Amino acid sequence: MIQANEQAIRQVVEEVLVQLGERGRGPANGKPKSGDWGVFPTVDQAVDAAEAAFQKLRQTSLAERAKAVECVRRICHDEADELGRLELDETKIGRLDHKIEKLQIIRLVPGIEFLRSDAVSGDHGLTVTEYAPFGVIGAITPVTHSLPTLAGNVVNMVASGNTVVFNPHPSGARIACEGVRRFNRAIHAATGLENLITIVEQPTLETAEQIFEHRGIRLLVVTGGPGVARAALASKKRAIVAGPGNPPVVVDETADIDNAAAAIVKGAAYDNNLLCIGEKEVFAVDAIFNQLLDAVGRNGGYRLNAQQTAQLTKLAFGPPEKPGGHAVLNRELVGKDAAVLASQIGVRVPAATQILFAETDTSNPFVPEEQMMPFIPFVRCRNAQHGIELAHEFEHNFRHTSIIHSRNVRNMTIMGRLMDTTLFVKNGACMAGLGLGGEGYLSYSIATPTGEGVTNPLTFTRQRRCAMVDDLRIF
Ligand code: NAD
């Protein structure tokens, strides 16, 4: 109740600030000049508004940019409960506690403080390299974290001076539009700038295509699965692609087994296994296999027997459409609670159950496919080398994320070299690779095939060099 009141008061204050600010700046009725606080019916309108916003933004100070970024971080933090609930209500995948947390932690996404300039001085003077904006960026976001990806992208991209047009996943478009409205309204109140973020209200594959082709878009940033990653890589524009993963975990005989089990459950259960970095299959050596499975059971896992596993597998995957193709994932089960998956096969699990798990072999489709649901297959391996080779095979060279639990530095090195993944986590849950329980900063767009890695404000910049000849070296 108190929270609701606080939120209502904040909204009123924002509206008043907007109106006060606008007396000297623009529309007197507290409404934006065009669109609905950044939400537009067509791609052309969204791009035009973002271009006009870019022309204004490039004339404003870094301090104003910082204010805009702060608005996004603050709203994500302070309104996380409401926005997280709205996202879950709309997408119907994942977990409320994690939907909320994914918004609260947007404050860990780097903004203006990450920017820098480089300088070199010598006999021929001083040369400065500055990291300049591209202009209008076209961004595609996934349903698995609709608003968090959008918000994280905005923090990075606006910090580096760009404006953005979003084409969200159609199943997460309502919450994405709501976020854009709230961000723009607050940014306008704080800075007078409009439409730094624009979005297509009813996104489709056609509107995505229009963004890919639009002359007003300077750079594409795509976060999603194999289809959209391929489409972006084939585009004529420069694209930064945060593509799919199927992160394997190797556990060898030297691992701290309780720590490994707790970390696997924590990572795999996060938002019901929707994270692209989330643990998707485990390769554990025979010497500790049974011990590990017992520990997973003690840490929130519920073990299925062979028959139950076969039943769930049949529900979760249809046969490939063509011989040798991918098993077809049942989207109805994606992001559902472990208890819901269990109930589908007539099993009741304790209330605290985080994941379901079982021993399988590699022919079970849960091993090669990115299931995005809280069932984890555990495959028994002869030794660490065998486990590492299987991990390499089933990561499919996405070069996204891999994880090892081991105290053997040699095994870590062999796996790190072979996997060649963007994130390689040792002795922790997958989130440690994004600074959550490990060192480093957070982003929801991890650029994998195009190589930029965990994106940050500098990812969305062009380098510009400014050379002063023969002067300004001052010693
Ligand atoms: P998805 O591929 O179904 O959709 C992602 C976005 O692409 C949506 O906006 C969708 O409308 C659009 N899209 C899909 N096909 C398209 C096409 N041919 N042309 C243009 N646009 C197209 O993925 P999803 O289910 O929303 O998200 C989950 C996937 O995203 C998983 O594969 C996951 O690994 C990946 N992902 C990767 C990262 C990363 O940082 N690398 C982050 C989050 C999710």
Side-chain angles (χ1 to χ4, degrees):
M1 197 59 201
I2 288 173
Q3 226 173 15
N5 283 340
E6 272 180 17
Q7 239 154 37
I9 292 166
R10 192 171 299 116
Q11 204 150 357
V12 171
V13 170
E14 265 172 16
E15 291 289 341
V16 171
L17 284 173
V18 168
Q19 299 204 6
L20 283 176
E22 279 165 350
R23 286 206 184 127
R25 279 183 189 123
N29 61 0
K31 283 281 172 208
K33 282 189 217 119
S34 59
D36 169 19
W37 292 113
V39 180
F40 289 90
T42 69
V43 169
D44 281 340
Q45 286 168 295
V47 175
D48 287 351
E51 173 60 29
F54 175 65
Q55 294 308 332
K56 291 239 168 75
L57 184 63
R58 65 192 301 192
Q59 288 164 29
T60 55
S61 64
L62 287 170
E64 294 295 291
R65 273 196 223 167
K67 279 189 206 163
V69 166
E70 257 339 282
C71 288
V72 176
R73 286 179 172 152
R74 177 177 52 74
I75 289 170
C76 287
H77 185 266
D78 293 357
E79 299 171 26
D81 282 11
E82 186 197 352
L83 292 169
R85 200 174 290 277
L86 287 174
E87 176 146 353
L88 184 60
D89 285 349
E90 181 184 6
T91 61
K92 300 191 170 41
I93 56 174
R95 284 172 48 164
L96 183 60
D97 51 348
H98 297 145
K99 290 273 180 263
I100 293 170
E101 190 176 64
K102 286 196 297 185
L103 286 166
Q104 289 169 333
I105 60 178
I106 289 292
R107 67 180 188 279
L108 304 176
V109 173
I112 207 99
E113 67 286 355
F114 210 87
L115 295 177
R116 63 161 206 268
S117 304
D118 297 328
V120 53
S121 73
D123 290 344
H124 291 298
L126 170 70
T127 290
V128 176
T129 300
E130 290 184 331
Y131 294 83
F134 273 89
V136 180
I137 297 177
I140 310 277
T141 49
V143 68
T144 44
H145 342 280
S146 185
L147 188 54
T149 309
L150 183 149
N153 281 175
V154 169
V155 168
N156 280 177
M157 294 169 184
V158 171
S160 47
N162 303 282
T163 59
V164 206
V165 178
F166 282 99
N167 200 70
H169 192 290
S171 308
R174 222 171 39 234
I175 181 62
C177 289
E178 182 56 23
V180 166
R181 280 190 200 97
R182 291 187 193 199
F183 298 156
N184 277 327
R185 204 183 282 135
I187 290 170
H188 187 244
T191 67
L193 293 163
E194 276 192 324
N195 294 326
L196 294 190
I197 316 151
T198 68
I199 188 165
V200 182
E201 187 167 22
Q202 290 180 355
T204 59
L205 287 185
E206 288 69 40
T207 56
E209 189 62 29
Q210 287 165 20
I211 288 179
F212 283 8
E213 299 289 326
H214 204 290
R215 288 170 58 113
I217 302 261
R218 296 284 307 276
L219 173 70
L220 296 173
V221 178
V222 166
T223 308
V228 72
R230 266 194 303 275
L233 290 169
S235 147
K236 288 191 214 90
K237 281 190 208 305
R238 172 155 182 233
I240 294 172
V241 179
N246 189 38
V249 185
V250 169
V251 186
D252 78 10
E253 65 282 3
T254 69
D256 174 336
I257 298 300
D258 270 325
N259 182 61
I264 290 167
V265 174
K266 185 175 176 195
Y270 199 87
D271 213 15
N272 283 339
N273 203 232
L274 291 183
L275 296 182
C276 60
I277 59 168
E279 289 80 351
K280 297 289 188 294
E281 65 276 343
V282 179
F283 302 101
V285 302
D286 186 44
I288 50 83
F289 192 84
N290 295 339
Q291 206 188 330
L292 177 68
L293 266 59
D294 288 346
V296 171
R298 286 195 305 275
N299 279 279
Y302 184 93
R303 186 170 180 175
L304 300 185
N305 63 31
Q307 191 209 346
Q308 292 162 340
T309 305
Q311 276 178 286
L312 181 63
T313 306
K314 215 164 153 204
L315 288 178
F317 295 98
E321 279 160 1
K322 46 185 180 211
H326 285 272
V328 178
L329 179 63
N330 176 1
R331 288 249 153 201
E332 293 295 310
L333 296 188
V334 164
K336 296 294 182 251
D337 291 347
V340 172
L341 299 184
S343 72
Q344 299 281 315
I345 53 168
V347 174
R348 275 173 69 100
V349 295
T353 301
Q354 303 289 303
I355 62 164
L356 308 178
F357 71 103
E359 178 171 0
T360 76
D361 59 28
T362 56
S363 67
N364 185 300
F366 274 105
V367 176
E369 302 301 329
E370 190 188 18
Q371 69 270 37
M372 295 187 283
M373 66 183 84
F375 171 86
I376 303 300
F378 282 68
V379 177
R380 196 183 287 265
C381 306
R382 289 188 300 280
N383 52 36
Q385 184 64 32
H386 184 212
I388 291 169
E389 281 163 15
L390 289 176
H392 182 235
E393 178 179 349
F394 290 103
E395 207 273 333
H396 307 300
N397 272 333
F398 287 138
R399 296 191 175 86
H400 196 299
T401 298
S402 56
I403 297 160
I404 187 170
H405 291 274
S406 172
R407 291 195 188 97
N408 181 325
V409 175
R410 196 69 213 143
N411 286 345
M412 293 178 188
T413 309
I414 290 169
M415 181 164 172
R417 285 189 183 153
L418 183 67
M419 299 301 298
D420 200 14
T421 45
T422 307
L423 299 183
F424 182 41
V425 178
K426 296 165 285 289
N427 298 329
C430 62
M431 299 85 99
L434 293 182
L436 307 165
E439 293 301 325
Y441 59 86
L442 173 67
S443 169
Y444 288 103
S445 294
I446 301 146
T448 38
T450 49
E452 294 81 0
V454 183
T455 55
N456 64 60
L458 294 175
T459 309
F460 308 108
T461 56
R462 308 157 49 220
Q463 290 191 28
R464 295 184 57 200
R465 184 184 271 201
C466 192
M468 174 72 192
V469 179
D470 290 344
D471 262 321
L472 282 183
R473 181 179 165 91
I474 53 172
F475 71 94

